[in-house]
Amino acid sequence: METPERWEQISEIAATAIDLPAGEREAYLAASCAGDTELREQVMRLVSAGQASFVRVDQPLVRGDLLRRALSEGRGLVEGEVLGKRYRIVRHIGAGGMGDVYEAWDLSLESRVALKTVRPEFARDEAIVERFKREVQLARQVTHENVCRVYDLGSMARGEDGVEVFCLTMELIEGQTLAELMRSHGPWTYEEALPVLEQVCLGLKAAHQAGVIHRDLKPANIMLVRREDAEKTWHVVVTDFGLAHSNQADASSWTQKMRPGTPAYMAPEQLEGKAVGPEADLYALGGVMYEMATGRAPWQGDSPLEVAFARLKEPVKAPSQWRPGVDGRWERIMLRLLEKEPGDRYVSAEAVLRDLESGPRRRMPLRKLWRRVDWRWAAVAGFVVLTACGVLYWDRVRSKSSPEALRWLRQGEEAIENRSWLTAKDLLDRAQAASPRNVKVLARLAQTHLELDQTQRAQQVLLSALGESGQEPADAEFREALRAGLVKDWPAATAAMERRVKLVPQAEQSRARFDLIWLLEKSGKVKDARGQLEALLKAEPGHAGANLGLGILLYRDGKVEAGEAALRKAEESYRLLGNAEGLATVAVERTEAVVGKDRGGAAFALIETTEKQVRDSLSARSPAGLYSLDARLKVLKAQTYSYQAKHELALATARSAFESGSASLIGGGYIKGLLALARGWIQTEHFPEAIEVLMMARDHAARQECTSCLAMANYYHGYLLSLQQNCAAASEKLQLAAAQFDGLEDRGNQFRARSAEAACYRRAADYDRAEKMMTEIERDAAPFAVPDIKSTLMRERYAMAAQRGDRVGSEALLVQLEEEHRRIQATTLWHQDLIDHSHQRLLSGRLTEARESLNRAAAQLGPDEARLKQHAAMVDALIDCDMGRAPAAQAKLDAASKTYQLTAKQMMLDQSEMACEISIEGSGPDRIAKYCEPIWTKMDTHPELGFLRILGGYSRAHYYIGRREPTEALRWVDIAYGQATKDQHKQNELYAALVGFEAAAMGTDAQSKTLWRQRAVSARQQLEEKLGQEAFQVFWRRATYSGRWANLERTK
Amino acid sequence: MDSIPVTRLLGELGRGDETSEKVLLDAIYRELHRLAQRAMRGERDNHTLQPSALVNEAYMRMKSQLRHEWQNRGHFYAVAARMMRQILIDHARTRNTQKRGTGQRMEALRDTDGQFSCNPEEILGIHEALQRLAVMSERQAQIVELRFFAGLSVEETAVAMEISEKTVKRDWSVARAWLAMELGKA
């Protein structure tokens, strides 16, 4: 097997050599291999193998024509196939929105025709077919050289299987569409355009006289055929009269699923669904001219929706603004054609033609100021092209709403108020299926998609709502609010929603206000939303949805008690109403809040209870809602597991959260699952995996526009970097996350992110900076009363004191911390404090006290606090070490790692530190290596981590002492000693010196022995001074120090 | 190649509603597997798997069930080749296991018109050799994949991979020579 680079080299030479005549090969190889005999041999072997006359791969496993055939059959009709015993398919020409277009041979009339198929999904609908037929009947009456002739229409049997295909035959025109030509042509001059436009006008005139309106005139429907005359002029044919299918290749077409007409050219009255006359075609003609002259459509926008709205609201810009050289007369013609009011346009195609040919005869009427279109009031029928095949479908049929649809709509609206968005979507989907064109249903559906971050879908639905009839002013405002919301124009959206509140009848007041609140919250105006909720509740104290919303907002803002009170009220209402889903939602919200501050056994039990409640209450009703709530709970569960050091369970749960989340396709739900997964990886110190998952989460978050997910991903990433002591990169990420959380008014996470930054500085021993940062956080957090920020900071301060070896300070802080955790009922954290406290006592030498308090703490631990149990067992063993009971300590270490089935490698860093420390005492090098290995690896990969240099340094020294290699031992202890002096950590300095002496004593270098003895003596003296006599005496009870000191005394 | 990322490949195809397309293609893929299994159990073709029938069915479905055009012909071929490779390999494997289990003579893959036959061991051998080749040159491996598993011509391969015909020819001659050596070893 070669490396890719080497193989490329071999391939290059061999490919040429194989093709060369045998006689020339030698010389070529000699030249190209340039003395590399191995290369030459390899190439030779390949060349000779290549001479084989047959290699198995020469004969394909499948024949290529199968694929080609499949590809063409897939298109539908096959070349040579005869349809309805009359049309033989010659070739496939293209695909359109409604079906495909073929060239066919009419066997009975012996002529070539174009044959258009209509997709079964359209052909099945009798109403469509009927209408289609009528249109074609009309279109057939137009006989004009500039209009494409329509011949025949109907279902035709396909040869073999008798399947019917609905199709339409028409004149076959071989040429280019104007759309194609425009792409390669660039802007047209008046003179160039005139011959084309004249013929389009003639075609339109003929059609209009026959009573046929095109309705979808656009460049793709104008065919140009080169005439074989001297000037090679164009013959122009307008196609698809009255058919209004959309061409897929058209840039302005909608997504694949919903094919609209071509909003870029549609007249305003057509968009509004009013009756359409010849003027609509003239408007489209104006659009075509505009694009020919300027190279751009009269209205632009990011989406058909925007384009459509733009036309209704804004006047068109004069073509000369885009292209200064545009012929003035032509420009006036265009602008007149593009008048918003049909009556202000030309009266006929013929009139346009006259003006085109001889310049405007009459003065143009003064262009009125473009009246701001009050499209909200427009009675609308059209534009539902989206839902089917074009104009055919959007007759002036009024939408009739079935009673079921109205019932589902009502239930859907209720679900929205109760934040059960997925259930709402389910219900509204059902409503839409029953009444596809009910404006209210469509608007609500759009709102739901918007909430679920399915913006594309929201746009589609909204666009179809635009064309529907029966719009009340309030509905139009709602739609406007959604439209503005879609493009994140929050002020406009809010304004529309506010107008709507004033427009709706009394009975719908509270719902309308609720929608306003939804919008405020969505746009990040949480405070306003809360104010509105409170006002709403003043009028209707029992409003369940409002209480739920208020509860959530309060909780999020750190106002736990008020939040809980609101949730309880919501719960009460839901119970009265018998709304199980509402109850489940409250339970999930509460669980989220509780677990947010306590990850202990109680939290876990709560999650399990809620999980059960969710399953019981929802299984019968809405699977989507179930999944979304379930996913949220699983995320919480994963977080809790990871706090309990059940990392594998955490990972597995996070995975299923992701799956549950993606099954429900809730906006952001599965991303939160991914984030939980990332967190699991981070906490198990699987950093590359974590980064990969985080990248994925960020990618999805960006795509789903889930800001909170994005902020979370940045937070985790920064946290990860801070664990790796990459403070510069970490702070960049964490600051970004904090700013994003700030924008979301998510105070808890905002301050957590900043605390993580402070922790990074602290771990890097940049204490001043860490302290400054914490003071800032304290100051900024003060007005918000975030539940756990106080304890987070306290814990950080404690960690700092402990890291600096400030026993008194750290103990004092621990006492406060214990109190705070007990107060906020953060049980697991409180237990952790108790064990830490015992550890601190041990470090001060209060061994008996340490053991007693440890026993008390251990008695508190719940059955699922495995990580803490292990932690306690380690501290217990450490106490034994200092009591001089090394064998007992070793036995406890082994037992602990066995009981919790953790080898040193799987332990979290703090635990492997303790394990390493224990293993040093009274055991051989093998044991030391077994338990200290992870510390050593980390020490090597993170030389900047001071505390690892100390522990790693002296544990390695112990290892080499055990192996009787004093030189190596001294080398390592020197590192530990150096770091301790640098940190001015007297205790560590003394310990390292004692170990140093032990190593030196083993060697023969008397000078080194003296040096280390002096260091030990001096460190002891300084520590004594620092602690004071009394405390020092207590400290000196620690056998790990005093035992080694005695050793030093003995060898005097 | 236990998990050729067919779904990924297909996912990349999507214009429009990607999710539904993926779901659809997954469904087609499962359906093909079912067909192939049925064929193998002898319910239909008396223990003879007919690759062309299978391919035909595969592409018919892929094409007819997708409402819109493939991005381009080349992309269609690339996906088809990958899908066929996976299906045929899966079947060759199953057959291999069956053979070992029952001691029966191994069934050859044979097209009804007798144009070719290929036994499962041979296919697996080629497949595994291609995996090794892919480590050295992914492009060469893909060229062989398109030509052998999908029957593409040099020109079609060039179009499918968006590379020149000359490159296809050169790579093919080297890959072919290498495969001759590799397959000869066994």
Side-chain angles (χ1 to χ4, degrees):
Chain A
M1 197 73 101
E2 310 297 333
T3 65
E5 296 74 30
R6 178 73 170 175
W7 180 249
E8 204 185 326
Q9 195 187 3
I10 297 171
S11 295
E12 272 304 305
I13 301 171
T16 308
I18 288 172
D19 268 356
L20 284 177
E24 291 169 30
R25 248 178 235 144
E26 273 302 311
Y28 169 73
L29 287 181
S32 47
C33 296
D36 186 339
T37 48
E38 200 196 324
L39 177 66
R40 191 183 156 144
E41 268 167 34
Q42 281 169 318
V43 173
M44 282 301 292
R45 273 200 301 277
L46 264 183
V47 171
S48 81
Q51 302 309 308
S53 59
F54 177 75
V55 181
R56 183 58 195 86
V57 288
D58 288 347
Q59 185 149 45
L61 206 48
V62 298
R63 295 194 315 260
D65 64 325
L66 277 172
L67 269 177
R68 283 183 283 278
R69 211 168 67 208
L71 201 56
S72 70
E73 282 172 6
R75 284 210 169 94
L77 305 180
V78 192
E79 286 166 25
E81 184 174 351
V82 177
L83 267 189
K85 297 188 178 157
R86 177 166 176 186
Y87 299 103
R88 194 175 63 223
I89 302 299
V90 178
R91 66 189 176 99
H92 181 261
I93 300 175
M98 267 177 9
D100 293 289
V101 188
Y102 301 87
E103 179 188 334
W105 180 251
D106 184 339
L107 296 169
S108 56
L109 292 180
E110 304 213 321
S111 61
R112 290 159 75 203
V113 296
L115 187 143
K116 273 190 176 186
T117 57
V118 178
R119 289 184 200 286
E121 57 266 37
F122 300 139
R124 267 196 297 271
D125 189 323
E126 273 178 38
I128 296 183
V129 171
E130 264 318 297
R131 180 149 184 81
F132 199 63
K133 280 184 178 159
R134 250 181 293 140
E135 295 282 350
V136 171
Q137 287 303 330
L138 270 176
R140 280 176 68 169
Q141 290 161 21
V142 185
T143 315
H144 190 272
E145 61 162 348
N146 297 116
V147 176
C148 174
R149 290 290 319 265
V150 176
Y151 302 133
D152 201 2
L153 170 85
S155 285
M156 287 175 218
R158 285 184 78 164
E160 328 118 42
D161 48 9
V163 173
E164 301 252 298
V165 182
F166 194 71
C167 53
L168 169 73
T169 53
M170 55 186 81
E171 185 184 348
L172 180 72
I173 300 156
E174 280 176 298
Q176 271 179 296
T177 68
L178 180 59
E180 285 162 359
L181 208 63
M182 271 164 48
R183 269 196 290 276
S184 54
H185 190 285
W188 300 53
T189 63
Y190 176 63
E191 290 71 26
E192 285 172 323
L194 187 60
V196 175
L197 294 172
E198 278 173 338
Q199 295 179 65
V200 174
C201 285
L202 287 171
L204 284 178
K205 177 187 161 196
H208 291 167
Q209 277 170 354
V212 175
I213 296 155
H214 192 295
R215 293 169 204 249
D216 193 19
L217 183 70
K218 58 184 175 185
N221 284 338
I222 298 170
M223 296 285 293
L224 290 93
V225 186
R226 277 265 187 223
R227 279 205 191 98
E228 289 304 318
D229 55 12
E231 281 98 42
K232 298 257 174 206
T233 52
W234 298 108
H235 170 59
V236 180
V237 183
V238 181
T239 65
D240 288 354
F241 258 93
L243 305 180
H245 86 277
S246 79
N247 191 313
Q248 200 173 359
D250 197 294
S252 55
S253 79
W254 197 246
T255 64
Q256 300 297 327
K257 262 200 175 152
M258 298 181 156
R259 296 161 207 282
T262 321
Y265 305 92
M266 259 187 203
E269 69 271 21
Q270 204 174 348
L271 278 172
E272 289 174 352
K274 291 177 183 162
V276 169
E279 302 88 358
D281 286 347
L282 296 182
Y283 183 92
L285 176 62
V288 172
M289 283 186 196
Y290 194 101
E291 200 167 335
M292 286 174 93
T294 64
R296 52 181 292 145
W299 278 281
Q300 308 271 325
D302 293 335
S303 68
L305 182 72
E306 290 297 307
V307 175
F309 271 94
R311 174 158 346 166
L312 296 172
K313 290 181 134 178
E314 302 156 18
V316 66
K317 276 194 185 155
S320 50
Q321 288 191 8
W322 305 114
R323 249 187 98 70
V326 172
D327 183 280
R329 180 178 48 179
W330 195 20
E331 178 172 83
R332 282 193 297 278
I333 296 173
M334 278 177 231
L335 288 174
R336 185 155 171 209
L337 285 169
L338 289 167
E339 279 286 359
K340 195 233 149 204
E341 291 296 325
D344 293 342
R345 295 176 209 144
Y346 285 88
V347 287
S348 66
E350 201 180 353
V352 181
L353 191 63
R354 274 201 302 273
D355 260 8
L356 272 175
E357 286 172 341
S358 58
R361 291 214 172 137
R362 296 157 284 152
R363 280 184 61 84
M364 298 260 298
L366 265 181
R367 264 170 60 75
K368 291 174 288 285
L369 268 180
W370 197 275
R371 282 183 294 261
R372 244 186 97 80
V373 188
D374 204 356
W375 48 268
R376 284 175 253 121
W377 293 86
V380 180
F383 215 55
V384 191
V385 253
L386 313 167
T387 50
C389 67
V391 171
L392 312 174
Y393 203 55
W394 60 265
D395 197 6
R396 270 134 245 140
V397 184
R398 294 277 177 258
S399 50
K400 277 185 223 132
S401 298
S402 69
E404 298 91 58
L406 293 177
R407 201 180 66 232
W408 280 318
L409 170 65
R410 218 168 35 242
Q411 289 178 1
E413 285 177 331
E414 269 165 32
I416 287 175
E417 281 191 3
N418 295 322
R419 293 178 178 247
S420 308
W421 289 98
L422 288 164
T423 308
K425 191 186 153 292
D426 263 11
L427 291 161
L428 292 167
D429 277 342
R430 269 179 249 175
Q432 198 211 1
S435 295
R437 296 161 55 190
N438 182 300
V439 190
K440 285 186 188 348
V441 172
L442 288 171
R444 284 293 178 192
L445 205 50
Q447 180 192 13
T448 311
H449 286 305
L450 183 58
E451 170 67 25
L452 295 175
D453 283 332
Q454 298 166 316
T455 29
Q456 279 256 322
R457 210 55 69 77
Q459 240 179 28
Q460 291 170 357
V461 178
L462 194 57
L463 194 47
S464 59
L466 168 64
E468 283 307 332
S469 57
Q471 312 250 10
E472 294 157 20
D475 290 338
E477 292 289 6
F478 188 48
R479 211 182 51 198
E480 162 65 5
L482 293 178
R483 182 203 63 83
L486 261 170
V487 294
K488 302 217 184 311
D489 181 357
W490 302 117
T494 315
M497 231 29 147
E498 277 166 351
R499 285 195 298 271
R500 174 165 176 258
V501 171
K502 292 193 188 106
L503 286 168
V504 296
Q506 194 56 37
E508 290 169 35
Q509 271 290 317
S510 87
R511 184 149 289 161
R513 284 175 65 186
F514 212 85
D515 290 325
L516 173 62
I517 292 164
W518 165 75
L519 195 72
L520 288 169
E521 206 185 318
K522 182 119 189 104
S523 64
K525 294 209 175 315
V526 181
K527 222 163 258 156
D528 293 352
R530 213 167 77 192
Q532 289 277 353
L533 276 172
E534 278 159 354
L536 184 71
L537 282 167
K538 220 164 258 164
E540 285 177 78
H543 195 295
N547 275 313
L548 174 65
L550 186 63
I552 291 169
L553 293 185
L554 285 168
Y555 252 121
R556 224 182 277 166
D557 204 19
K559 304 200 166 56
V560 179
E561 273 157 40
E564 179 54 35
L567 283 189
R568 220 170 287 140
K569 272 189 218 153
E571 208 168 31
E572 225 168 87
S573 315
Y574 287 135
R575 198 162 290 131
L576 276 172
L577 296 165
N579 183 342
E581 187 173 7
L583 283 171
T585 311
V586 174
V588 172
E589 291 293 345
R590 179 183 290 130
T591 309
E592 222 168 53
V594 170
V595 177
K597 60 188 171 82
D598 175 25
R599 321 274 175 169
F604 198 80
L606 183 60
I607 295 174
E608 301 242 285
T609 320
T610 314
E611 248 185 331
K612 192 174 174 314
Q613 188 183 346
V614 167
R615 271 193 301 256
D616 290 352
S617 58
L618 291 180
S619 50
R621 195 164 164 217
S622 156
L626 165 76
Y627 278 126
S628 85
L629 289 174
D630 191 53
R632 277 172 66 186
L633 285 169
K634 286 209 167 83
V635 169
L636 284 179
K637 206 171 175 183
Q639 287 171 350
T640 313
Y641 272 137
S642 71
Y643 271 92
Q644 293 173 356
K646 295 173 182 165
H647 298 303
E648 265 156 38
L649 278 173
L651 272 178
T653 313
R655 241 182 232 128
S656 67
F658 170 62
E659 277 155 19
S660 199
S662 41
S664 74
L665 278 180
I666 183 185
Y670 67 101
I671 305 175
K672 293 198 172 102
L674 272 178
L675 287 168
L677 197 57
R679 192 196 177 103
W681 288 124
I682 293 174
Q683 295 202 317
T684 46
E685 295 174 24
H686 289 86
F687 295 143
E689 289 89 342
I691 297 232
E692 194 181 318
V693 176
L694 278 176
M695 291 298 166
M696 207 162 127
R698 205 149 47 185
D699 190 36
H700 283 276
R703 215 177 309 157
Q704 297 264 8
E705 303 162 47
C706 175
T707 328
S708 61
C709 305
L710 218 52
M712 215 58 174
N714 284 324
Y715 172 37
Y716 285 162
H717 199 168
Y719 179 64
L720 185 155
L721 289 165
S722 91
L723 287 180
Q724 295 179 321
Q725 286 300 297
N726 187 350
C727 278
S731 60
E732 194 183 305
K733 286 267 173 243
L734 289 168
Q735 278 163 15
L736 179 62
Q740 286 166 331
F741 285 129
D742 186 29
L744 294 160
E745 304 198 26
D746 182 345
R747 302 295 165 212
N749 281 320
Q750 182 190 347
F751 296 122
R752 267 190 282 271
R754 290 176 65 187
S755 308
E757 197 185 337
C760 189
Y761 299 134
R762 185 258 302 163
R763 273 193 294 267
D766 189 348
Y767 299 125
D768 291 343
R769 193 153 180 201
E771 182 53 50
K772 184 167 163 261
M773 177 113 211
M774 285 191 279
T775 319
E776 277 172 20
I777 299 172
E778 226 155 27
R779 186 197 61 209
D780 296 348
F784 295 110
V786 182
D788 53 356
I789 196 65
K790 193 172 160 199
S791 57
T792 305
L793 287 174
M794 231 181 247
R795 190 158 180 88
E796 191 43 44
R797 286 223 161 81
Y798 153 70
M800 191 151 105
Q803 193 177 315
R804 301 175 90 160
D806 173 6
R807 300 277 159 259
V808 183
S810 61
E811 265 204 70
L813 282 160
L814 253 184
V815 173
Q816 287 180 29
L817 197 57
E818 277 173 39
E819 251 165 49
E820 176 64 13
H821 280 155
R822 206 162 31 186
R823 191 183 70 78
I824 64 172
Q825 297 178 339
T827 328
T828 307
L829 294 174
W830 177 51
H831 292 161
Q832 168 103 52
D833 299 336
L834 294 176
I835 298 167
D836 282 352
H837 205 155
S838 161
H839 195 176
Q840 287 299 324
R841 288 178 175 122
L842 152 73
L843 292 176
S844 313
R846 281 142 52 207
L847 303 176
T848 331
E849 215 182 315
R851 169 136 301 153
E852 279 168 12
S853 64
L854 185 68
N855 289 342
R856 275 200 306 276
Q860 304 258 9
L861 296 181
D864 49 10
E865 290 179 304
R867 183 175 170 220
L868 287 183
K869 273 188 192 161
Q870 193 193 18
H871 203 96
M874 296 284 195
V875 175
D876 194 30
L878 277 174
I879 297 174
D880 276 327
C881 289
D882 272 315
M883 285 182 157
R885 301 175 192 155
Q890 297 307 330
K892 279 179 187 170
L893 172 61
D894 287 343
S897 59
K898 206 166 160 188
T899 310
Y900 305 112
Q901 292 171 335
L902 289 170
T903 64
K905 276 203 181 114
Q906 289 167 310
M907 287 180 198
M908 300 294 293
L909 193 56
D910 54 348
Q911 290 178 23
S912 46
E913 276 174 58
M914 286 193 277
C916 173
E917 233 175 305
I918 298 162
S919 73
I920 289 166
E921 299 305 322
S923 70
D926 292 348
R927 268 187 78 79
I928 299 179
K930 176 179 165 197
Y931 283 105
C932 293
E933 189 80 61
I935 300 291
W936 297 346
T937 320
K938 232 186 177 78
M939 171 188 183
D940 296 340
T941 50
H942 293 281
E944 72 286 359
L945 292 188
F947 65 97
L948 281 179
R949 284 168 73 81
I950 295 175
L951 174 60
Y954 68 65
S955 59
R956 268 172 159 154
H958 276 297
Y959 170 78
Y960 285 108
I961 291 170
R963 292 174 53 119
R964 316 217 125 265
E965 292 177 37
T967 324
E968 267 302 285
L970 280 173
R971 188 167 81 80
W972 286 108
V973 79
D974 223 31
I975 291 176
Y977 181 80
Q979 184 67 38
T981 343
K982 193 176 151 215
D983 292 355
Q984 299 193 319
H985 198 298
K986 290 299 152 201
Q987 212 169 302
N988 283 337
E989 207 177 303
L990 172 58
Y991 187 84
L994 288 168
V995 178
F997 176 79
E998 214 174 310
M1002 194 180 279
T1004 47
D1005 185 353
Q1007 228 180 339
S1008 154
K1009 217 166 130 181
T1010 320
L1011 171 71
W1012 284 102
R1013 181 197 299 275
Q1014 274 168 4
R1015 282 177 171 174
V1017 172
S1018 137
R1020 184 190 149 152
Q1021 236 165 31
Q1022 289 177 35
L1023 185 64
E1024 235 177 305
E1025 277 162 30
K1026 190 183 159 201
L1027 294 176
Q1029 252 319 298
E1030 205 178 328
F1032 182 78
Q1033 283 313 317
V1034 176
F1035 169 76
W1036 209 239
R1037 286 185 209 142
R1038 295 182 63 182
T1040 45
Y1041 287 80
S1042 49
R1044 289 196 167 83
W1045 179 264
N1047 187 31
L1048 178 136
E1049 297 271 82
R1050 259 202 310 281
T1051 51
K1052 224 168 209 174
Chain B
M1 198 190 67
D2 282 310
S3 56
I4 293 178
V6 171
T7 41
R8 185 181 60 81
L9 244 170
L10 298 179
E12 289 162 4
L13 280 173
R15 295 190 306 177
D17 196 343
E18 197 181 293
T19 327
S20 65
E21 189 165 282
K22 233 187 267 181
V23 169
L24 174 61
L25 283 164
D26 278 349
I28 298 172
Y29 180 72
R30 277 196 301 276
E31 171 67 9
L32 277 167
H33 257 291
R34 200 183 56 75
L35 277 172
Q37 256 151 17
R38 201 172 59 184
M40 212 181 58
R41 280 200 307 270
E43 285 170 20
R44 214 164 72 166
D45 291 314
N46 196 21
H47 283 270
T48 309
L49 178 64
Q50 297 181 354
S52 47
L54 202 61
V55 178
N56 212 9
E57 193 113 25
Y59 299 150
M60 283 289 283
R61 275 160 201 262
M62 279 162 78
K63 193 62 195 77
S64 65
Q65 292 196 29
L66 286 174
R67 272 224 211 143
H68 55 79
E69 290 298 294
W70 292 81
Q71 239 168 16
N72 54 46
R73 184 175 285 249
H75 209 151
F76 171 76
Y77 284 148
V79 174
R82 187 51 64 89
M83 230 181 192
M84 279 320 299
R85 180 173 173 190
Q86 179 147 16
I87 292 168
L88 292 174
I89 293 310
D90 286 350
H91 283 279
R93 282 213 179 101
T94 327
R95 273 156 180 257
N96 242 349
T97 331
Q98 273 193 345
K99 181 206 100 186
R100 273 186 233 115
T102 60
Q104 284 171 350
R105 232 193 84 78
M106 199 185 311
E107 285 295 337
L109 289 169
R110 184 174 289 109
D111 215 358
T112 35
D113 54 15
Q115 272 224 338
F116 67 87
S117 74
C118 190
N119 71 40
E121 267 170 1
E122 220 170 28
I123 297 183
L124 283 176
I126 291 169
H127 161 68
E128 279 154 16
L130 276 184
Q131 282 181 306
R132 293 195 294 277
L133 180 60
V135 176
M136 301 192 293
S137 167
E138 199 155 347
R139 194 178 63 202
Q140 289 177 3
Q142 208 193 336
I143 289 172
V144 179
E145 179 175 76
L146 285 167
R147 303 208 56 192
F148 180 66
F149 284 98
L152 297 204
S153 65
V154 169
E155 302 78 63
E156 285 166 329
T157 308
V159 171
M161 292 181 62
E162 291 173 353
I163 52 177
S164 71
E165 282 180 28
K166 190 179 153 218
T167 308
V168 173
K169 275 187 201 148
R170 285 172 65 84
D171 271 348
W172 169 256
S173 69
V174 176
R176 177 183 181 274
W178 184 83
L179 283 165
M181 285 193 325
E182 287 293 300
L183 300 174
K185 275 182 198 166

